[in-house]
Amino acid sequence: MATFRFGQHIVKSSAVFLKTELSFALVNRKPVVPGHVLVCPLRVVERFRDLRPDEVADLFMTTQRIADVIEKHFQASSLTIAIQVYKFIAYTHVHVHVLPRKAGDFDKNDSIYDELQKHDRENEDVPSKWRSEEEMAKEATELHSLFN
């Protein structure tokens, strides 16, 4: 079984629903909203500036493709797309969050950023808050079928 690296974490291929030449996309182990997925460069880099131009292009084209599918599949009215590059949390790895949004999903629209910040805190990243491998694999399989 192939594995992928997300910072210092190993990601099982069962959680990955799309792989390109330079990027991969995975379901989130603790989604902020239903359909919250991550897009990562295959090469682990700590800073956005460390990506080569071809990696940036692939990451953004892959994010755009995924965002379109995720928005439709989860019947969202909009998206929040955020690039995360934090040195003060448990991992240091460039990644893009794609979050399908629906009217009223948060009392204040920008509260999603507070939730993302909590999502990425080391003390919030505990296994008891994670989805099971089976749940993640099921969603990854479902999403994978949308890209074939």
Side-chain angles (χ1 to χ4, degrees):
M1 175 183 283
T3 58
F4 298 83
R5 288 219 25 235
F6 184 86
Q8 77 272 21
H9 300 289
I10 300 297
V11 176
K12 292 183 178 181
S13 62
S14 60
V16 173
F17 64 90
L18 183 66
K19 180 185 172 293
T20 67
E21 181 182 346
L22 299 172
S23 303
F24 69 99
L26 66 148
V27 298
N28 202 313
R29 67 183 176 193
K30 50 183 184 144
V32 172
V33 294
H36 176 188
V37 299
L38 304 173
V39 187
C40 307
L42 282 170
R43 185 171 68 93
V44 175
V45 296
E46 289 187 359
R47 296 287 199 205
F48 188 73
R49 67 176 175 250
D50 297 332
L51 291 170
R52 298 184 313 258
D54 60 336
E55 291 171 316
V56 172
D58 189 82
L59 182 67
F60 280 166
M61 288 187 303
T62 302
T63 298
Q64 184 180 46
R65 182 178 171 205
I66 288 168
D68 183 51
V69 170
I70 291 293
E71 184 175 7
K72 290 173 185 166
H73 182 69
F74 287 92
Q75 301 172 345
S77 56
S78 61
L79 296 163
T80 294
I81 298 173
I83 299 173
Q84 299 290 118
V85 187
Y86 287 130
K87 290 283 283 181
F88 56 88
I89 58 172
Y91 51 84
T92 53
H93 178 49
V94 173
H95 59 286
V96 180
H97 290 261
V98 178
L99 301 103
R101 302 291 305 277
K102 295 183 179 182
D105 56 3
F106 290 92
D107 289 337
K108 295 179 185 173
N109 188 47
D110 285 350
S111 293
I112 194 155
Y113 300 109
D114 297 331
E115 291 302 314
L116 273 174
Q117 191 172 20
K118 281 194 274 184
H119 174 274
D120 283 337
R121 281 195 195 120
E122 186 174 5
N123 63 350
E124 295 284 327
D125 194 24
V126 292
S128 63
K129 295 184 178 185
W130 299 349
R131 295 192 295 167
S132 71
E133 286 185 28
E134 293 78 19
E135 289 174 295
M136 292 172 61
K138 181 180 177 193
E139 183 175 70
T141 298
E142 182 180 305
L143 292 177
H144 177 75
S145 70
L146 302 174
F147 292 93
N148 289 333

Short mmCIF file of all heavy atoms in Angstrom, two decimals, residues 19-67:
data_model
loop_
_atom_site.label_atom_id
_atom_site.label_comp_id
_atom_site.label_asym_id
_atom_site.label_seq_id
_atom_site.Cartn_x
_atom_site.Cartn_y
_atom_site.Cartn_z
N LYS A 19 -4.35 11.90 -7.10
CA LYS A 19 -2.91 12.11 -7.16
C LYS A 19 -2.58 12.60 -8.57
O LYS A 19 -3.08 12.06 -9.55
CB LYS A 19 -2.16 10.83 -6.85
CG LYS A 19 -0.65 10.99 -6.90
CD LYS A 19 0.05 9.66 -6.72
CE LYS A 19 1.54 9.76 -6.95
NZ LYS A 19 1.89 10.05 -8.34
N THR A 20 -1.79 13.65 -8.62
CA THR A 20 -1.30 14.14 -9.91
C THR A 20 0.21 13.91 -9.93
O THR A 20 0.77 13.30 -9.01
CB THR A 20 -1.61 15.65 -10.08
OG1 THR A 20 -0.84 16.38 -9.12
CG2 THR A 20 -3.10 15.93 -9.91
N GLU A 21 0.85 14.46 -10.91
CA GLU A 21 2.30 14.30 -11.02
C GLU A 21 3.03 14.90 -9.82
O GLU A 21 4.01 14.35 -9.34
CB GLU A 21 2.80 14.96 -12.31
CG GLU A 21 4.28 14.82 -12.53
CD GLU A 21 4.76 15.52 -13.79
OE1 GLU A 21 3.93 15.89 -14.63
OE2 GLU A 21 5.98 15.70 -13.91
N LEU A 22 2.50 16.02 -9.28
CA LEU A 22 3.22 16.73 -8.23
C LEU A 22 2.40 17.01 -6.97
O LEU A 22 2.91 17.62 -6.02
CB LEU A 22 3.75 18.07 -8.79
CG LEU A 22 4.73 17.94 -9.96
CD1 LEU A 22 5.03 19.32 -10.55
CD2 LEU A 22 6.02 17.25 -9.53
N SER A 23 1.14 16.61 -6.94
CA SER A 23 0.27 16.90 -5.80
C SER A 23 -0.59 15.69 -5.46
O SER A 23 -0.72 14.76 -6.25
CB SER A 23 -0.67 18.07 -6.13
OG SER A 23 0.04 19.22 -6.51
N PHE A 24 -1.21 15.75 -4.28
CA PHE A 24 -2.21 14.75 -3.91
C PHE A 24 -3.27 15.41 -3.04
O PHE A 24 -3.03 16.45 -2.43
CB PHE A 24 -1.57 13.53 -3.21
CG PHE A 24 -1.03 13.80 -1.82
CD1 PHE A 24 -1.77 13.46 -0.69
CD2 PHE A 24 0.23 14.36 -1.65
CE1 PHE A 24 -1.27 13.67 0.58
CE2 PHE A 24 0.75 14.58 -0.37
CZ PHE A 24 -0.01 14.24 0.75
N ALA A 25 -4.44 14.79 -3.03
CA ALA A 25 -5.56 15.31 -2.24
C ALA A 25 -6.06 14.20 -1.33
O ALA A 25 -6.17 13.05 -1.74
CB ALA A 25 -6.67 15.79 -3.16
N LEU A 26 -6.40 14.59 -0.11
CA LEU A 26 -6.86 13.61 0.87
C LEU A 26 -8.05 14.14 1.63
O LEU A 26 -8.25 15.36 1.74
CB LEU A 26 -5.73 13.24 1.84
CG LEU A 26 -5.23 14.33 2.78
CD1 LEU A 26 -4.77 13.71 4.10
CD2 LEU A 26 -4.08 15.08 2.15
N VAL A 27 -8.82 13.22 2.15
CA VAL A 27 -9.92 13.61 3.03
C VAL A 27 -9.33 14.00 4.37
O VAL A 27 -8.23 13.59 4.73
CB VAL A 27 -10.97 12.47 3.16
CG1 VAL A 27 -11.59 12.16 1.82
CG2 VAL A 27 -10.37 11.22 3.78
N ASN A 28 -10.07 14.80 5.09
CA ASN A 28 -9.58 15.35 6.35
C ASN A 28 -9.99 14.45 7.51
O ASN A 28 -11.14 14.04 7.61
CB ASN A 28 -10.16 16.75 6.53
CG ASN A 28 -9.35 17.59 7.46
OD1 ASN A 28 -8.97 17.15 8.54
ND2 ASN A 28 -9.07 18.82 7.06
N ARG A 29 -9.07 14.20 8.41
CA ARG A 29 -9.39 13.33 9.55
C ARG A 29 -10.26 14.02 10.58
O ARG A 29 -10.88 13.38 11.41
CB ARG A 29 -8.12 12.77 10.18
CG ARG A 29 -7.24 13.77 10.86
CD ARG A 29 -6.00 13.07 11.36
NE ARG A 29 -5.07 14.03 11.93
CZ ARG A 29 -3.82 13.73 12.22
NH1 ARG A 29 -3.36 12.52 11.97
NH2 ARG A 29 -3.03 14.62 12.75
N LYS A 30 -10.30 15.35 10.55
CA LYS A 30 -11.22 16.08 11.43
C LYS A 30 -11.74 17.32 10.69
O LYS A 30 -11.30 18.44 10.92
CB LYS A 30 -10.58 16.43 12.77
CG LYS A 30 -9.24 17.08 12.67
CD LYS A 30 -8.65 17.33 14.04
CE LYS A 30 -7.36 18.07 13.79
NZ LYS A 30 -6.98 19.05 14.67
N PRO A 31 -12.68 17.08 9.78
CA PRO A 31 -13.18 18.17 8.94
C PRO A 31 -13.91 19.25 9.73
O PRO A 31 -14.63 18.95 10.67
CB PRO A 31 -14.13 17.47 7.97
CG PRO A 31 -14.51 16.20 8.64
CD PRO A 31 -13.35 15.81 9.51
N VAL A 32 -13.70 20.49 9.32
CA VAL A 32 -14.38 21.62 9.93
C VAL A 32 -15.83 21.68 9.45
O VAL A 32 -16.73 22.01 10.21
CB VAL A 32 -13.63 22.94 9.62
CG1 VAL A 32 -14.42 24.16 10.06
CG2 VAL A 32 -12.24 22.93 10.26
N VAL A 33 -16.04 21.34 8.17
CA VAL A 33 -17.36 21.23 7.58
C VAL A 33 -17.38 19.96 6.74
O VAL A 33 -16.31 19.48 6.32
CB VAL A 33 -17.73 22.46 6.69
CG1 VAL A 33 -17.86 23.72 7.53
CG2 VAL A 33 -16.74 22.64 5.56
N PRO A 34 -18.54 19.37 6.46
CA PRO A 34 -18.57 18.19 5.60
C PRO A 34 -17.95 18.50 4.23
O PRO A 34 -18.24 19.54 3.63
CB PRO A 34 -20.07 17.89 5.47
CG PRO A 34 -20.68 18.48 6.71
CD PRO A 34 -19.86 19.72 6.99
N GLY A 35 -17.07 17.62 3.79
CA GLY A 35 -16.42 17.81 2.50
C GLY A 35 -15.09 18.54 2.57
O GLY A 35 -14.44 18.76 1.56
N HIS A 36 -14.66 18.91 3.77
CA HIS A 36 -13.38 19.61 3.97
C HIS A 36 -12.24 18.66 3.59
O HIS A 36 -12.06 17.62 4.22
CB HIS A 36 -13.30 20.02 5.44
CG HIS A 36 -12.02 20.65 5.86
ND1 HIS A 36 -11.76 20.93 7.18
CD2 HIS A 36 -10.93 21.08 5.17
CE1 HIS A 36 -10.58 21.50 7.29
NE2 HIS A 36 -10.05 21.59 6.07
N VAL A 37 -11.50 19.02 2.55
CA VAL A 37 -10.39 18.20 2.07
C VAL A 37 -9.11 19.01 2.03
O VAL A 37 -9.13 20.24 2.14
CB VAL A 37 -10.68 17.59 0.68
CG1 VAL A 37 -11.92 16.69 0.73
CG2 VAL A 37 -10.83 18.67 -0.39
N LEU A 38 -8.00 18.32 1.86
CA LEU A 38 -6.69 18.95 1.80
C LEU A 38 -6.01 18.60 0.48
O LEU A 38 -6.14 17.48 0.00
CB LEU A 38 -5.81 18.47 2.95
CG LEU A 38 -6.36 18.65 4.36
CD1 LEU A 38 -5.47 17.96 5.38
CD2 LEU A 38 -6.51 20.12 4.68
N VAL A 39 -5.27 19.57 -0.06
CA VAL A 39 -4.47 19.36 -1.26
C VAL A 39 -3.03 19.70 -0.90
O VAL A 39 -2.77 20.77 -0.32
CB VAL A 39 -4.95 20.24 -2.43
CG1 VAL A 39 -4.20 19.88 -3.71
CG2 VAL A 39 -6.46 20.11 -2.63
N CYS A 40 -2.11 18.80 -1.22
CA CYS A 40 -0.72 18.95 -0.80
C CYS A 40 0.23 18.70 -1.96
O CYS A 40 -0.04 17.86 -2.81
CB CYS A 40 -0.37 17.92 0.27
SG CYS A 40 -1.48 17.87 1.67
N PRO A 41 1.38 19.37 -1.93
CA PRO A 41 2.41 18.98 -2.88
C PRO A 41 2.98 17.62 -2.46
O PRO A 41 3.03 17.32 -1.25
CB PRO A 41 3.46 20.09 -2.77
CG PRO A 41 3.23 20.70 -1.42
CD PRO A 41 1.78 20.48 -1.08
N LEU A 42 3.38 16.81 -3.42
CA LEU A 42 3.99 15.52 -3.07
C LEU A 42 5.30 15.71 -2.32
O LEU A 42 5.60 14.97 -1.39
CB LEU A 42 4.24 14.69 -4.33
CG LEU A 42 3.01 14.01 -4.93
CD1 LEU A 42 3.33 13.43 -6.29
CD2 LEU A 42 2.49 12.92 -4.00
N ARG A 43 6.05 16.71 -2.73
CA ARG A 43 7.31 17.00 -2.06
C ARG A 43 7.00 17.83 -0.82
O ARG A 43 6.36 18.88 -0.90
CB ARG A 43 8.25 17.76 -3.00
CG ARG A 43 9.65 18.00 -2.43
CD ARG A 43 10.57 18.55 -3.50
NE ARG A 43 10.21 19.89 -3.91
CZ ARG A 43 10.70 21.01 -3.38
NH1 ARG A 43 11.59 20.95 -2.40
NH2 ARG A 43 10.32 22.20 -3.84
N VAL A 44 7.43 17.37 0.32
CA VAL A 44 7.17 18.07 1.57
C VAL A 44 8.08 19.30 1.63
O VAL A 44 9.30 19.17 1.55
CB VAL A 44 7.42 17.16 2.79
CG1 VAL A 44 7.27 17.93 4.09
CG2 VAL A 44 6.47 15.98 2.76
N VAL A 45 7.44 20.47 1.75
CA VAL A 45 8.19 21.71 1.91
C VAL A 45 7.59 22.48 3.08
O VAL A 45 6.40 22.39 3.34
CB VAL A 45 8.19 22.58 0.63
CG1 VAL A 45 8.91 21.88 -0.51
CG2 VAL A 45 6.79 22.98 0.23
N GLU A 46 8.43 23.23 3.76
CA GLU A 46 7.97 23.98 4.93
C GLU A 46 7.33 25.30 4.56
O GLU A 46 6.50 25.80 5.29
CB GLU A 46 9.14 24.23 5.89
CG GLU A 46 9.59 22.98 6.60
CD GLU A 46 10.63 23.28 7.67
OE1 GLU A 46 11.01 24.45 7.86
OE2 GLU A 46 11.05 22.33 8.33
N ARG A 47 7.74 25.90 3.47
CA ARG A 47 7.29 27.23 3.11
C ARG A 47 6.78 27.24 1.67
O ARG A 47 7.30 26.55 0.81
CB ARG A 47 8.43 28.24 3.22
CG ARG A 47 8.94 28.43 4.62
CD ARG A 47 7.94 29.20 5.37
NE ARG A 47 8.52 29.79 6.57
CZ ARG A 47 7.80 30.09 7.60
NH1 ARG A 47 6.52 29.85 7.62
NH2 ARG A 47 8.35 30.62 8.66
N PHE A 48 5.78 28.08 1.43
CA PHE A 48 5.24 28.24 0.09
C PHE A 48 6.33 28.65 -0.88
O PHE A 48 6.39 28.17 -2.01
CB PHE A 48 4.11 29.28 0.13
CG PHE A 48 3.35 29.40 -1.15
CD1 PHE A 48 2.46 28.42 -1.55
CD2 PHE A 48 3.51 30.52 -1.95
CE1 PHE A 48 1.76 28.53 -2.73
CE2 PHE A 48 2.81 30.64 -3.13
CZ PHE A 48 1.93 29.63 -3.52
N ARG A 49 7.23 29.51 -0.43
CA ARG A 49 8.33 29.97 -1.28
C ARG A 49 9.27 28.83 -1.70
O ARG A 49 10.03 28.98 -2.64
CB ARG A 49 9.12 31.08 -0.58
CG ARG A 49 9.87 30.58 0.64
CD ARG A 49 10.73 31.68 1.27
NE ARG A 49 11.33 31.19 2.49
CZ ARG A 49 10.99 31.61 3.70
NH1 ARG A 49 10.08 32.56 3.85
NH2 ARG A 49 11.58 31.11 4.77
N ASP A 50 9.24 27.72 -0.99
CA ASP A 50 10.11 26.58 -1.29
C ASP A 50 9.59 25.74 -2.46
O ASP A 50 10.32 24.88 -2.97
CB ASP A 50 10.28 25.68 -0.07
CG ASP A 50 10.97 26.40 1.09
OD1 ASP A 50 11.76 27.34 0.82
OD2 ASP A 50 10.72 26.03 2.25
N LEU A 51 8.35 25.96 -2.85
CA LEU A 51 7.80 25.21 -3.98
C LEU A 51 8.40 25.71 -5.29
O LEU A 51 8.57 26.92 -5.48
CB LEU A 51 6.28 25.36 -4.05
CG LEU A 51 5.48 24.69 -2.94
CD1 LEU A 51 4.02 25.14 -3.00
CD2 LEU A 51 5.59 23.18 -3.04
N ARG A 52 8.70 24.78 -6.19
CA ARG A 52 9.15 25.15 -7.53
C ARG A 52 7.96 25.65 -8.33
O ARG A 52 6.80 25.32 -8.00
CB ARG A 52 9.77 23.94 -8.22
CG ARG A 52 11.00 23.37 -7.52
CD ARG A 52 11.61 22.23 -8.32
NE ARG A 52 10.62 21.27 -8.77
CZ ARG A 52 10.39 20.08 -8.22
NH1 ARG A 52 11.08 19.69 -7.16
NH2 ARG A 52 9.47 19.27 -8.71
N PRO A 53 8.18 26.43 -9.37
CA PRO A 53 7.06 26.93 -10.18
C PRO A 53 6.14 25.83 -10.70
O PRO A 53 4.92 25.99 -10.70
CB PRO A 53 7.76 27.67 -11.33
CG PRO A 53 9.05 28.14 -10.73
CD PRO A 53 9.47 27.01 -9.80
N ASP A 54 6.69 24.69 -11.12
CA ASP A 54 5.84 23.61 -11.62
C ASP A 54 4.99 23.01 -10.49
O ASP A 54 3.85 22.60 -10.71
CB ASP A 54 6.64 22.52 -12.34
CG ASP A 54 7.71 21.85 -11.48
OD1 ASP A 54 8.18 22.46 -10.48
OD2 ASP A 54 8.12 20.71 -11.81
N GLU A 55 5.52 23.01 -9.26
CA GLU A 55 4.75 22.51 -8.12
C GLU A 55 3.62 23.47 -7.76
O GLU A 55 2.51 23.03 -7.43
CB GLU A 55 5.67 22.30 -6.91
CG GLU A 55 6.65 21.16 -7.09
CD GLU A 55 7.68 21.09 -6.00
OE1 GLU A 55 8.24 22.14 -5.60
OE2 GLU A 55 7.95 19.97 -5.52
N VAL A 56 3.89 24.77 -7.82
CA VAL A 56 2.85 25.77 -7.54
C VAL A 56 1.74 25.63 -8.57
O VAL A 56 0.55 25.60 -8.21
CB VAL A 56 3.43 27.20 -7.56
CG1 VAL A 56 2.30 28.24 -7.47
CG2 VAL A 56 4.42 27.41 -6.43
N ALA A 57 2.12 25.54 -9.83
CA ALA A 57 1.12 25.42 -10.90
C ALA A 57 0.27 24.17 -10.70
O ALA A 57 -0.97 24.22 -10.77
CB ALA A 57 1.80 25.39 -12.27
N ASP A 58 0.90 23.04 -10.43
CA ASP A 58 0.15 21.79 -10.24
C ASP A 58 -0.73 21.86 -9.00
O ASP A 58 -1.90 21.44 -9.03
CB ASP A 58 1.11 20.61 -10.14
CG ASP A 58 0.38 19.28 -10.17
OD1 ASP A 58 0.04 18.82 -11.26
OD2 ASP A 58 0.13 18.73 -9.07
N LEU A 59 -0.21 22.42 -7.91
CA LEU A 59 -0.99 22.53 -6.68
C LEU A 59 -2.24 23.37 -6.90
O LEU A 59 -3.34 22.99 -6.50
CB LEU A 59 -0.12 23.14 -5.57
CG LEU A 59 -0.77 23.27 -4.20
CD1 LEU A 59 -1.04 21.90 -3.57
CD2 LEU A 59 0.13 24.09 -3.27
N PHE A 60 -2.11 24.50 -7.58
CA PHE A 60 -3.26 25.37 -7.80
C PHE A 60 -4.22 24.82 -8.84
O PHE A 60 -5.44 24.93 -8.69
CB PHE A 60 -2.81 26.78 -8.17
CG PHE A 60 -2.40 27.60 -6.98
CD1 PHE A 60 -1.71 28.78 -7.16
CD2 PHE A 60 -2.69 27.22 -5.68
CE1 PHE A 60 -1.34 29.56 -6.07
CE2 PHE A 60 -2.32 27.99 -4.58
CZ PHE A 60 -1.65 29.17 -4.79
N MET A 61 -3.70 24.19 -9.89
CA MET A 61 -4.62 23.59 -10.88
C MET A 61 -5.37 22.42 -10.26
O MET A 61 -6.56 22.23 -10.52
CB MET A 61 -3.85 23.15 -12.13
CG MET A 61 -3.39 24.34 -12.96
SD MET A 61 -2.64 23.91 -14.56
CE MET A 61 -1.32 22.83 -14.09
N THR A 62 -4.69 21.65 -9.42
CA THR A 62 -5.35 20.54 -8.73
C THR A 62 -6.39 21.06 -7.75
O THR A 62 -7.50 20.54 -7.68
CB THR A 62 -4.30 19.66 -8.02
OG1 THR A 62 -3.35 19.20 -9.00
CG2 THR A 62 -4.94 18.48 -7.32
N THR A 63 -6.05 22.09 -7.01
CA THR A 63 -6.99 22.71 -6.07
C THR A 63 -8.22 23.21 -6.81
O THR A 63 -9.35 23.00 -6.36
CB THR A 63 -6.32 23.84 -5.28
OG1 THR A 63 -5.23 23.29 -4.51
CG2 THR A 63 -7.30 24.53 -4.35
N GLN A 64 -8.02 23.87 -7.93
CA GLN A 64 -9.14 24.39 -8.71
C GLN A 64 -10.06 23.26 -9.18
O GLN A 64 -11.28 23.34 -9.07
CB GLN A 64 -8.61 25.18 -9.91
CG GLN A 64 -9.71 25.84 -10.74
CD GLN A 64 -9.12 26.59 -11.91
OE1 GLN A 64 -8.25 26.08 -12.62
NE2 GLN A 64 -9.59 27.82 -12.11
N ARG A 65 -9.47 22.20 -9.68
CA ARG A 65 -10.25 21.04 -10.15
C ARG A 65 -11.03 20.41 -9.00
O ARG A 65 -12.23 20.11 -9.12
CB ARG A 65 -9.28 20.02 -10.76
CG ARG A 65 -9.91 18.81 -11.33
CD ARG A 65 -8.86 17.92 -11.95
NE ARG A 65 -9.43 16.64 -12.33
CZ ARG A 65 -8.74 15.52 -12.43
NH1 ARG A 65 -7.43 15.52 -12.23
NH2 ARG A 65 -9.35 14.40 -12.75
N ILE A 66 -10.37 20.22 -7.89
CA ILE A 66 -11.01 19.61 -6.72
C ILE A 66 -12.11 20.51 -6.18
O ILE A 66 -13.21 20.05 -5.84
CB ILE A 66 -9.96 19.30 -5.63
CG1 ILE A 66 -9.11 18.11 -6.10
CG2 ILE A 66 -10.62 19.02 -4.29
CD1 ILE A 66 -7.87 17.89 -5.28
N ALA A 67 -11.84 21.81 -6.09
CA ALA A 67 -12.83 22.75 -5.56
C ALA A 67 -14.12 22.70 -6.35
O ALA A 67 -15.21 22.70 -5.77
CB ALA A 67 -12.25 24.17 -5.55
#
